[in-house]
Amino acid sequence: MLPGMDLEVIDKGHVTPPHPTPLLFVHGAWHAAWCWDEYFLDYFAERGYRATALSIRGHGASRTAKSLRTCSLVDYVADIRSVAATLGAEPVLVGHSMGGLLTQKYLESRAAPAGVLLASVPPQGIARFLGRMTRKHPWLMAKSMATGKSLRFFGTAQLAREHLFSTATAESDVRRHMARLNEESQRMTVDALVLRLPKVNRVTTPLLVLGADDDAMLTRDEVHATARAYGTEAEFFAGMGHDMMLEPDWKAVAERIDTWLGQRRL
């Protein structure tokens, strides 16, 4: 836990002359800091970065003073700000999925040195995603809406693979990662649908936008839309599912981020 806070933070490595800017990794819905600790944190720490990942409130070992289902996007962004403030310098944010949306919201009011969006929710929000989930799994969606519990979309190894992983991911890894997922906030779903969408014109931070060719959660069009909104081009990784940082070819993603940051002397 972070001293003086109820947030779980995994902090590895140190800033070095080649990489003087800390990295802050922001997980997506149903995940926590563990998804970055699997591979990415050690990879970047070994290359001279300070690599830090947080679990937003109600995720992983992070506590929440109120019901998780009522935690909002504003709450989650406040958690990112709290951790960023402890790093000694404004960090580069690396956000995955919902964490990409949180990163966009954070950058509305903070001029970070750079940001990376992995399989990120687009600025237009999750309306199209919810529509696809409803068509694919109407009964699961109906139960999720009625109970406020969406973890059921990953309730079996088959469902977890369908939504998060490629066919190349070992069954043992799918089951291991699936067991660490936790429930998500119902309020956050509403915020990401319509209430708290990013104000793109306020974001001035340069962004690297990365997508996965076999992503079942977000379409290529949505990743392209994110890149266009921020004046850049999307890059895609073949044969990779939504959880890009946990896929067998995760190192290709990490190497691309490392190269991009190095070009900016970060």
Side-chain angles (χ1 to χ4, degrees):
M1 306 298 287
L2 192 67
M5 297 185 186
D6 289 331
L7 297 176
E8 176 187 27
V9 176
I10 304 175
D11 192 0
K12 295 187 175 182
H14 305 277
V15 295
T16 59
H19 301 297
T21 306
L23 309 182
L24 180 55
F25 293 85
V26 185
H27 65 82
W30 307 289
H31 292 64
W34 61 264
C35 70
W36 302 111
D37 195 31
E38 187 78 10
Y39 303 116
F40 267 46
L41 296 188
D42 285 334
Y43 174 91
F44 284 97
E46 290 167 3
R47 281 155 183 79
Y49 295 89
R50 181 181 181 184
T52 303
L54 82 154
S55 295
I56 54 182
R57 66 185 69 187
H59 297 70
S62 290
R63 304 185 186 97
T64 176
K66 60 183 180 181
S67 169
L68 172 64
R69 66 185 299 165
T70 67
C71 290
S72 69
L73 183 149
V74 172
D75 294 326
Y76 289 173
V77 173
D79 292 341
I80 299 171
R81 288 190 182 123
S82 294
V83 176
T86 70
L87 299 181
E90 189 68 38
V92 171
L93 266 65
V94 182
H96 172 251
S97 195
M98 180 189 75
L101 184 70
L102 298 176
T103 295
Q104 294 170 61
K105 292 297 292 182
Y106 175 94
L107 294 175
E108 283 182 7
S109 58
R110 304 287 286 268
V116 182
L117 304 179
L118 273 64
S120 174
V121 172
Q124 296 85 357
I126 61 172
R128 290 178 60 188
F129 162 73
L130 290 179
R132 289 192 298 274
M133 293 297 102
T134 300
R135 290 189 295 273
K136 288 170 63 177
H137 297 290
W139 180 235
L140 283 177
M141 181 60 75
K143 290 194 288 185
S144 175
M145 296 298 288
T147 63
K149 296 180 179 180
S150 55
L151 189 59
R152 64 183 74 245
F153 278 98
F154 315 98
T156 68
Q158 180 180 347
L159 285 170
R161 182 184 295 279
E162 174 188 333
H163 293 123
L164 300 176
F165 301 103
S166 69
T167 57
T169 305
E171 182 74 8
S172 59
D173 286 337
V174 172
R175 291 184 177 276
R176 182 166 58 89
H177 299 322
M178 164 193 153
R180 303 182 77 174
L181 300 174
N182 60 247
E183 194 55 77
E184 191 48 71
S185 163
Q186 191 174 28
R187 169 60 190 272
M188 178 63 203
T189 300
V190 177
D191 284 347
L193 179 63
V194 64
L195 289 185
R196 299 283 182 179
L197 298 183
K199 296 178 176 62
V200 172
N201 62 329
R202 295 186 182 179
V203 178
T204 60
T205 297
L207 295 173
L208 175 65
V209 178
L210 304 177
D213 270 347
D214 294 343
D215 191 341
M217 302 283 277
L218 294 165
T219 66
R220 286 179 66 95
D221 284 348
E222 287 169 314
V223 178
H224 279 304
T226 299
R228 284 195 302 272
Y230 296 109
T232 189
E233 296 287 335
E235 300 177 31
F236 292 86
F237 291 81
M240 191 169 289
H242 184 68
D243 273 10
M244 301 172 71
M245 64 286 185
L246 294 171
E247 285 280 78
D249 201 24
W250 64 269
K251 188 175 289 186
V253 181
E255 288 173 347
R256 178 64 187 116
I257 296 171
D258 180 26
T259 298
W260 189 77
L261 293 175
Q263 291 168 345
R264 284 155 181 76
R265 303 182 184 276
L266 296 173

